[in-house]
Amino acid sequence: MNPRLRLSPLRQPVETSHPRVGVPAASPHEVRPVRDPKYGTAFAGPQAAKMFLWSRALTSHSGNVFVLSAPSGTGKSTLAKRLVQELPDLDFSISFTTRAPRAGEVDGKDYFFVDTATFDRMIAEGGLVEWVEVYGHKYGTGKDWINSHLATGRDILLDIETQGARNVHAAMPEAVMIFLIPPSAEELASRLRKRGRDPEAEIQVRLDHARHELSQFPAYDYLVVNDTLDLAYRDLQAVILATRARRERMGAVAETILKGF
Ligand SMILES: Nc1ncnc2c1ncn2[C@@H]1O[C@H](COP(=O)(O)OP(=O)(O)OP(=O)(O)O)[C@@H](O)[C@H]1O
Ligand SMILES: Nc1nc2c(ncn2[C@@H]2O[C@H](COP(=O)(O)O)[C@@H](O)[C@H]2O)c(=O)[nH]1
């Protein structure tokens, strides 16, 4: 039997703003956590059956890893932020970087900003799933958070460049690889300039690197053109929802429903 289909006891509901996973909600859709002798914490109230099944789906296997790459300025962070805000059970992987924070960036939210000695120590201690040096700075994905987070059954979204993405795929072949494509070279340049975040020299470096990054698209499972923002968002959402509907993930739910027949 595929171990990912194994039924595991329910854990405490995950802290989330989305009512589907166990945050008590207001009447008439009130959901109350109750103890179930077989499965641990379950739910009561009108939404109980649905909640129970969704929690089962969430906790009976590890979460999905979604990797999102694109040339700088295409719109990764814009779309990633919206996905994490609007889709339940999806969390953003906060990278470590030696780059200095830009105006408005918050440590622990946009990145963990660390000095080079700290970053190098993390590499030496095997604390990073992957890391790269790009645009003159080091960037890396922390291992502990990824592993502990996946164990909760929640999904993770990584916004990383293509070399790191390859390394993640090598370490986690089941990761879902998504490549975001700018509609044209001119539009990419215009977005980088309009963003007003980087000096012109830095923008040139990023544009020069864009061709190489784009050439990496064959390593990805899904390609989404970010022309109209809402359409790109819709496509990314579709990839995530379709992945969640895969048999490997929903098998436990189907088994539970089947038992009722
Ligand atoms: N579909 C779109 N149409 C027009 N502008 C867009 C679109 N998507 C994103 N943008 C804008 O383009 C700029 C770059 O977007 P964003 O910062 O999300 O890119 P990024 O790929 O995360 O870049 P980096 O890799 O440098 O962090 C932002 O100003 C954003 O508002
Ligand atoms: N391989 C990794 N790439 C990362 C990581 N975190 C961010 N990035 C990528 O770096 C560039 C530049 O980012 P910026 O914030 O300085 O504009 C961009 O393409 C990010 O996707 C990481 O942990 N690993």
Side-chain angles (χ1 to χ4, degrees):
M1 185 185 179
N2 180 346
R4 296 186 73 174
L5 281 182
R6 210 179 46 231
L7 300 185
S8 63
L10 282 171
R11 289 169 293 97
Q12 293 296 317
V14 177
E15 275 300 315
T16 168
S17 59
H18 197 274
R20 240 178 26 199
V21 286
V23 172
S27 214
H29 301 294
E30 185 196 7
V31 176
R32 285 173 283 115
V34 296
R35 293 297 299 174
D36 176 288
K38 192 164 172 200
Y39 297 113
T41 304
F43 306 94
Q47 297 284 327
K50 245 190 195 166
M51 296 266 307
F52 177 74
L53 291 173
W54 273 104
S55 300
R56 254 324 240 299
L58 191 62
T59 55
S60 62
H61 58 85
S62 84
N64 298 298
V65 175
F66 297 98
V67 174
L68 184 63
S69 301
S72 176
T74 303
K76 290 181 301 291
S77 345
T78 306
L79 286 158
K81 271 184 196 141
R82 185 163 160 197
L83 286 166
V84 166
Q85 265 166 18
E86 294 182 15
L87 284 182
D89 312 328
L90 178 68
D91 299 301
F92 186 66
S93 161
I94 302 166
S95 296
F96 291 83
T97 185
T98 59
R99 162 166 91 55
R102 298 190 182 104
E105 284 186 330
V106 177
D107 186 38
K109 183 164 173 271
D110 298 287
Y111 282 104
F112 294 111
F113 295 99
V114 294
D115 58 25
T116 305
T118 305
F119 197 98
D120 290 347
R121 197 165 53 245
M122 291 183 76
I123 298 172
E125 290 170 356
L128 298 174
V129 179
E130 61 78 31
W131 69 274
V132 288
E133 186 154 8
V134 66
Y135 310 132
H137 309 290
K138 290 177 177 171
Y139 297 84
T141 305
K143 198 180 271 177
D144 285 353
W145 184 82
I146 295 280
N147 288 337
S148 60
H149 208 74
L150 287 177
T152 69
R154 291 170 68 83
D155 294 342
I156 294 180
L157 180 61
L158 274 68
D159 164 349
I160 61 176
E161 55 68 61
T162 51
Q163 182 55 52
R166 270 179 188 274
N167 294 336
V168 168
H169 196 233
M172 303 174 180
E174 69 284 2
V176 178
M177 310 290 287
I178 311 171
F179 198 84
L180 198 62
I181 303 171
S184 67
E186 294 73 27
E187 174 63 16
L188 183 65
S190 156
R191 284 183 194 172
L192 280 168
R193 294 201 172 98
K194 274 196 205 146
R195 180 165 71 175
R197 198 183 71 178
D198 303 298
E200 183 58 27
E202 171 81 22
I203 289 176
Q204 276 309 326
V205 172
R206 289 175 185 243
L207 285 173
D208 290 346
H209 196 52
R211 192 170 201 292
H212 166 73
E213 291 259 294
L214 266 175
S215 73
Q216 304 302 304
F217 78 81
Y220 288 74
D221 301 311
Y222 296 95
L223 307 179
V224 173
V225 177
N226 181 20
D227 191 350
T228 304
L229 192 67
D230 282 348
L231 297 184
Y233 178 77
R234 182 203 62 187
D235 288 358
L236 292 175
Q237 197 184 40
V239 169
I240 292 172
L241 296 180
T243 303
R244 289 178 173 181
R246 288 187 62 81
R247 191 182 59 244
E248 301 90 272
R249 183 176 179 107
M250 292 303 288
V253 173
E255 278 179 31
T256 306
I257 292 172
L258 187 60
K259 281 187 193 132
F261 281 76

